[in-house]
Amino acid sequence: MVTLKNHQVWQDLSEIFTHLDAHSLVLEHLELSNYKIAGYWDESDQFYETITLPRPLSPELVTRAIAFHGDKRRIQLKFVLNLAEISPETISRNPRIGELMLIYDENLELIDENWQIDIHSPFINTNPSL
């Protein structure tokens, strides 16, 4: 049986993630999108033409992974999106407004994004499509 516990691959992966500035990547993505999501389906199959996220947000990296699809490698970064400014009013509500997964190729070019937004949050501005 092969064991990978002390394999070089773990050190290599740790080095990759140590040098990857995930926080800058997600902030850049939010800025480039102007804190808006175009074309969003919620869990009830309601379509929203535009969702505007509050500013500023405090994204927190919760998972990171390297995925292999055939000979292609992808870097997946999953963030929890929290409100940046916490007030007593915000604390009584949930400061978490959703999650964002960014998927990059091995050249750090964005391949895909996956949003999970709490559209019932009072901090989210939605434009539902009828």
Side-chain angles (χ1 to χ4, degrees):
M1 173 148 86
V2 176
T3 179
L4 295 175
K5 183 175 181 177
N6 296 320
H7 197 279
Q8 178 68 33
V9 70
W10 303 120
Q11 184 175 346
D12 294 344
L13 289 174
S14 293
E15 187 174 324
I16 289 168
F17 287 125
T18 298
H19 296 296
L20 183 68
D21 188 355
H23 193 258
S24 291
L25 288 172
V26 71
L27 290 178
E28 176 184 35
H29 188 75
L30 290 168
E31 286 294 327
L32 288 173
S33 68
N34 198 25
Y35 285 74
K36 293 184 179 183
I37 305 168
Y40 180 81
W41 291 93
D42 72 6
E43 66 278 353
S44 302
D45 288 333
Q46 171 73 38
F47 180 74
Y48 296 84
E49 287 186 27
T50 306
I51 293 178
T52 304
L53 304 171
R55 292 181 190 216
L57 287 176
S58 178
E60 175 187 350
L61 181 65
V62 290
T63 62
R64 55 193 181 186
I66 295 180
F68 296 90
H69 301 283
D71 63 344
K72 297 179 182 177
R73 294 175 286 249
R74 304 285 187 246
I75 297 171
Q76 298 176 348
L77 304 171
K78 185 175 182 181
F79 299 88
V80 170
L81 302 174
N82 297 308
L83 297 173
E85 297 176 9
I86 305 291
S87 66
E89 177 184 291
T90 308
I91 292 171
S92 66
R93 300 176 186 172
N94 187 358
R96 178 179 177 175
I97 62 160
E99 297 178 352
L100 170 60
M101 180 181 292
L102 297 174
I103 302 171
Y104 294 92
D105 68 11
E106 53 198 23
N107 295 317
L108 283 182
E109 293 181 21
L110 185 67
I111 303 259
D112 199 5
E113 59 188 83
N114 185 330
W115 299 87
Q116 298 293 319
I117 300 298
D118 178 5
I119 57 164
H120 302 294
S121 169
F123 305 104
I124 299 293
N125 184 0
T126 61
N127 183 10
S129 178
L130 301 175

